[in-house]
Every structure is written in structure tokens, then in C-alpha cells.
Amino acid sequence: MANITGAMYNDAKKNIRDLRVKINVLNFNMQTVDEITGVVLDGSINVDATADIRRTCSLSLVVKDSTLELQPGGRIWVDKYFQVLIDYLNKGDWINMGIYLVDAPSWSYDPGNSTLSLQGLDLMSKLTGQRNGYLEGIPTIIPQDSSIRDSMISTLVDLGGFNNYVIEDNPQPVPYEIKIDQGGTVYDVLSELRDITPNYEMFFDVDGVFHYQKIPSGQNEASYIQDDMWKQIVLSESTSVDFGEVKNVVEVYGMSHDPSHYGEATVDGNTYKVTMAGVDSLTKGLIYGFKAPSIVENPTLKINSLPAYPLVNEDGTNAVIPQANKFYVVQYKGEENFLFLGYQQPYAIAKDENPDSPFYINTIGEIRQVFYGDEYENIWSNDLAQQRANYELWLHTRLNDSISLSVVPLYWLDVNILVDYTRVNTTETNQYIIKSIDTSLSPDGTQTINMVRYYPLYPDI
């Protein structure tokens, strides 16, 4: 988000607005080639942290001359980006509201009035197929055990044509081969990589920079806005809950593994010993199965007369066998360890056990939903299933404990930031995370902010 200075914060509390809107026309090298001012009649900027295309806008411009008419070589055409900037006190302090591709422009004329209406989509639309992004007519393959970060960079740069990015390292390797067939898009590849670990997001920021990072949870983060601001700008507050979407118990089932070799184990100390026919050596990438008669700490697995190797999680920590007398599968990684995949069909459960939550299981009872098949077939291990279960619980509880505010616009505001807020007719201040923003660009326009309640005791997704 924008670097919020003390002056910006204090200016936003003033009860005056002298709005100016400027449009910079950019070429595909992000160079400003034109500037359009004094013609914006109305418009809006929408930001949604849960949408594939995070930023969209709608603008209505008065056409003063032929340069704003829809025509090849015109100021608004398919070969350009445009950037929206706001100066809400007419001080020359322009706030960047995002960079967009031109979408669905239309020109209309009636006596005495000629207007150009257009939609804007952020740069993700250049990867989704909305404007561009379709792959060449051959399958695109990301090999198993590839680095997520390296694969994402090569996809974004080589296939997408974008060189400006901030991509966090994710220690989780690609657990299976990713194959996108003909007709797929660059976004399909990137989203497959993103969805390996469910608590990550990807988006383009207001400067047109691509980001891949963990979804901000609010934990150990400072609040950007306090009550001194809200008291000056809040116009109304509302709450709505879709009870049909509320689920406080979530179960997730992943893919079913078919081990190449398997057997029933005996226990010697912390070692599971298994006899498997035809196994004289271990093959990298192969899956082996065994039934564990009991639970041991820091388990190792010994197949036939081969060395015993530890069972580890994706992050390298020692695996924990959840139940005795159950069948488990592992994958030999070729690094003197076995990756513990968990049950033959990975499984996890998550419950809302936070007593401060309005959906606490001990208060309203258990409301269950089971997720399986389709995209969940890509869940490779118990560990990934647990991460996904925690994420689905977050979606079906915390995202339903929300409020909506109508305010005098804070044009520098962004999503996924933590704020303090005291609700109307209450005295208790709570923390919220902003998930979407809808800002009117009319001189007397307002801003709608949707926020979800932050509960510090929730597991960090």
C-alpha cells in the first residue's frame, strides 16, 4: 500500500475535498506518453483482495476533441495502459490509484454532449486471457520438485512478459508435475503454483508490480487506522451474515495415492521395519506404503535390509504419526529421508475453537462441510491438507464475521491491512482486516469498505 505520511493521515480527517482526477497514458514499457486532465465526469475504483483481478475501475470522460474518440492511434486504445491519479485537496499531492488495461470502451453522442465510457482491469488481465495470456499450442509443464519461486519467475517473465515482481520464497517444492494443456493461460500456470500452498496470494499492485506472498493475517502487524480517523469520516455502518456460508468444522480429503510397494511394519525403537517384495534399492520419487502398529517419536523407516531413513514433513521437520494401526504412505526424496505424505488419502480437519468467535463450536454447535475432488485432488499430503483445512475454515468463519462502512473517501487505502474500529453504539475497540474497497470518483462521492474481524487466537493461515 501507499507510504502513509502523518500529513496524509491528518489531511484525510479534514471535512473538505477539492477533488482532481488525472489520467496518465502509458505505453507497454510503463513510460508516460500522454496526460489527460479536466475531462473525468465520474467513475469508481474497486479493490478486492479475494478476486483474481484485484483492481478494476470505471470512468466516464467528456470528449472535447477527436483525440479522445475511439480510433487506432487515439489516446485511449488497445495498445496502451492508463494510470489513474487522485489529488483530493488540490495540493499537487497525487495518489496513484492503479495501472489498468483499457476494457470495453464505448463512445456516445447526443446534441451538446459527447462522452467516452471505459472500464479498466489491472495487469493480471494480461495473463488471464481477458486481454492476453494464452499459451502456445503445446502443453506447459512444471516438473515435480521444482522451486515454486523459480517456476513462478520463469512463467511470469518468459511466458507473461513481466519483469517487475516481488516473489517471496516458498520452501514447499512443487509436489507433483503441473501440466497445462493447449488453451490454457499464463494465469493457469501461476495459479496452480500459488494454490500448492493455500495461504499465499498473487496480485499486481498500484505500480504494476507483480506480488506473490503470504496472505496477511494481521498477526504481529500494526494498525494503520485508529478511531480518531473513523470518528471524522464514517457516514454509516452495516452488518450482514450469510449463515448458509458459515461452516465451523471443515474436513479436507486430498488425492488417493497408489504406493508402488507396501507392507506391514514392526517397531524397533523409533524405527518402522517393513518387508517389501522386490525392493533392493530405493527409487527417487517412488511412493511406499506401510501400516504402523503404534506411534513412535521421530520415526524412521527401514525397508528390507536398506538403511533406515527419517520420515520428514515438507519443511524438513520430523513427521508425527497421527494414529496407530493406520496405513501411511511416504515418498523417497533421494536425500536420505522419506517425505511423509500421511494417509493413503491425505486428510485433515479444522474447527473453530476460538471462544471469542461468534461461530465458536461450543456456542452454536458444529456446522460441518467436507471438501474433496476437483482442485482438492491436488492436495498431496496430510500437511497440505491441514493448511487447506485451516484456510477453508478462515474463509467460512472469519470472512463471514464482517462489517461494511460508508465513509468519506481515503484514497490511499488498500486491502489486507489491519485497522482499529469501535462499532456504533459500542465502547469496545476491535481490530479488522480490510478485504474490499469501492471508491467513487465523483466530487461528492463516498467510499464503501468491507472488513473482517481479526481474532488474535485464530491459527495463522
Side-chain angles (χ1 to χ4, degrees):
M1 65 173 296
N3 181 22
I4 304 172
T5 65
M8 291 170 63
Y9 190 90
N10 290 328
D11 281 345
K13 291 189 289 184
K14 295 178 179 178
N15 59 359
I16 59 170
R17 292 289 186 271
D18 189 1
L19 189 66
R20 298 291 183 273
V21 181
K22 178 170 69 173
I23 298 174
N24 283 341
V25 180
L26 313 176
N27 61 23
F28 284 172
N29 293 320
M30 295 293 183
Q31 298 167 322
T32 302
V33 296
D34 201 354
E35 180 181 296
I36 302 173
T37 58
V39 298
V40 176
L41 295 172
D42 200 355
S44 63
I45 303 285
N46 306 94
V47 190
D48 186 344
T50 64
D52 295 336
I53 298 174
R54 176 167 289 196
R55 287 178 168 79
T56 62
C57 73
S58 175
L59 296 175
S60 180
L61 286 64
V62 58
V63 178
K64 294 183 177 180
D65 56 56
S66 62
T67 64
L68 278 179
E69 293 181 1
L70 291 178
Q71 56 186 338
R75 301 167 85 183
I76 301 295
W77 194 242
V78 71
D79 60 342
K80 299 180 179 70
Y81 301 136
F82 67 93
Q83 180 185 36
V84 181
L85 300 106
I86 298 293
D87 177 8
Y88 61 93
L89 292 179
N90 196 19
K91 295 170 59 178
D93 296 330
W94 294 100
I95 297 171
N96 182 9
M97 303 295 286
I99 296 173
Y100 305 89
L101 274 78
V102 180
D103 186 57
S106 63
W107 176 80
S108 63
Y109 172 81
D110 57 60
N113 186 32
S114 181
T115 60
L116 174 66
S117 299
L118 59 92
Q119 310 298 313
L121 307 174
D122 75 22
L123 301 190
M124 193 67 79
S125 61
K126 207 171 182 182
L127 304 176
T128 62
Q130 178 82 17
R131 172 60 53 80
N132 207 333
Y134 283 106
L135 300 168
E136 295 183 6
I138 57 175
T140 299
I141 295 175
I142 305 294
Q144 182 180 357
D145 291 328
S146 300
S147 160
I148 291 179
R149 183 176 189 273
D150 292 347
S151 299
M152 191 164 278
I153 290 173
S154 62
T155 300
L156 184 70
V157 175
D158 298 337
L159 300 180
F162 287 100
N163 295 299
N164 295 323
Y165 54 81
V166 178
I167 297 178
E168 289 186 2
D169 188 28
N170 184 343
Q172 160 74 44
V174 178
Y176 44 81
E177 179 183 89
I178 294 174
K179 181 180 179 181
I180 305 298
D181 291 325
Q182 297 95 325
T185 65
V186 176
Y187 178 82
D188 292 334
V189 181
L190 293 171
S191 61
E192 286 275 357
L193 291 166
R194 177 200 61 194
D195 293 344
I196 290 171
T197 309
N199 58 330
Y200 279 77
E201 63 178 356
M202 62 183 189
F203 61 94
F204 281 89
D205 67 17
V206 293
D207 297 311
V209 177
F210 178 89
H211 290 256
Y212 167 76
Q213 63 187 34
K214 280 190 173 182
I215 299 172
S217 67
Q219 189 166 348
N220 300 320
E221 297 176 16
S223 290
Y224 278 86
I225 302 175
Q226 286 76 43
D227 270 342
D228 65 322
M229 175 70 77
W230 300 122
K231 290 176 181 177
Q232 299 295 321
I233 67 170
V234 171
L235 303 173
S236 65
E237 171 192 312
S238 61
T239 302
S240 63
V241 180
D242 183 353
F243 287 143
E245 287 295 313
V246 173
K247 312 295 178 187
N248 60 9
V249 177
V250 168
E251 295 181 67
V252 170
Y253 288 88
M255 66 171 60
S256 292
H257 294 290
D258 184 15
S260 300
H261 303 277
Y262 54 89
E264 189 157 346
T266 60
V267 175
D268 182 5
N270 70 330
T271 299
Y272 292 108
K273 292 184 175 181
V274 187
T275 299
M276 296 184 185
V279 180
D280 300 319
S281 62
L282 298 175
T283 302
K284 183 178 179 181
L286 212 60
I287 293 178
Y288 302 86
F290 67 96
K291 184 178 180 180
S294 60
I295 297 174
V296 300
E297 293 185 2
N298 303 324
T300 63
L301 176 63
K302 180 178 176 60
I303 299 176
N304 298 339
S305 60
L306 300 172
Y309 292 134
L311 306 184
V312 299
N313 298 312
E314 304 278 0
D315 60 3
T317 58
N318 291 321
V320 176
I321 303 297
Q323 291 178 287
N325 296 314
K326 294 291 184 180
F327 190 83
Y328 298 100
V329 290
V330 299
Q331 182 186 47
Y332 180 59
K333 302 298 290 182
E335 300 170 353
E336 298 190 347
N337 61 51
F338 290 101
L339 176 63
F340 181 66
L341 301 179
Y343 301 116
Q344 188 171 4
Q345 183 177 21
Y347 167 81
I349 187 170
K351 299 183 178 184
D352 188 345
E353 298 177 316
N354 186 333
D356 291 330
S357 169
F359 311 120
Y360 179 40
I361 57 174
N362 288 356
T363 301
I364 67 171
E366 294 190 358
I367 306 172
R368 184 181 308 268
Q369 183 160 347
V370 179
F371 296 92
Y372 62 94
D374 296 329
E375 63 185 286
Y376 302 95
E377 290 285 347
N378 292 329
I379 295 176
W380 183 253
S381 66
N382 278 20
D383 185 25
L384 292 177
Q386 189 62 62
Q387 293 181 42
R388 186 57 183 259
N390 292 342
Y391 178 65
E392 294 290 352
L393 182 69
W394 178 77
L395 290 176
H396 289 83
T397 54
R398 232 166 80 184
L399 284 189
N400 284 283
D401 185 9
S402 62
I403 63 172
S404 178
L405 302 180
S406 176
V407 304
V408 178
L410 300 175
Y411 296 100
W412 37 257
L413 201 60
D414 207 346
V415 293
N416 279 342
I417 65 171
L418 191 69
V419 301
D420 293 337
Y421 182 65
T422 303
R423 300 190 61 176
V424 175
N425 298 325
T426 68
T427 58
E428 181 182 5
T429 300
N430 292 305
Q431 293 185 305
Y432 293 84
I433 299 175
I434 295 175
K435 302 309 292 185
S436 69
I437 306 166
D438 185 356
T439 306
S440 170
L441 299 183
S442 63
D444 58 351
T446 61
Q447 185 176 62
T448 301
I449 302 171
N450 291 300
M451 311 189 296
V452 298
R453 176 83 179 275
Y454 169 61
Y455 295 101
L457 294 181
Y458 263 103
D460 185 0
I461 62 165

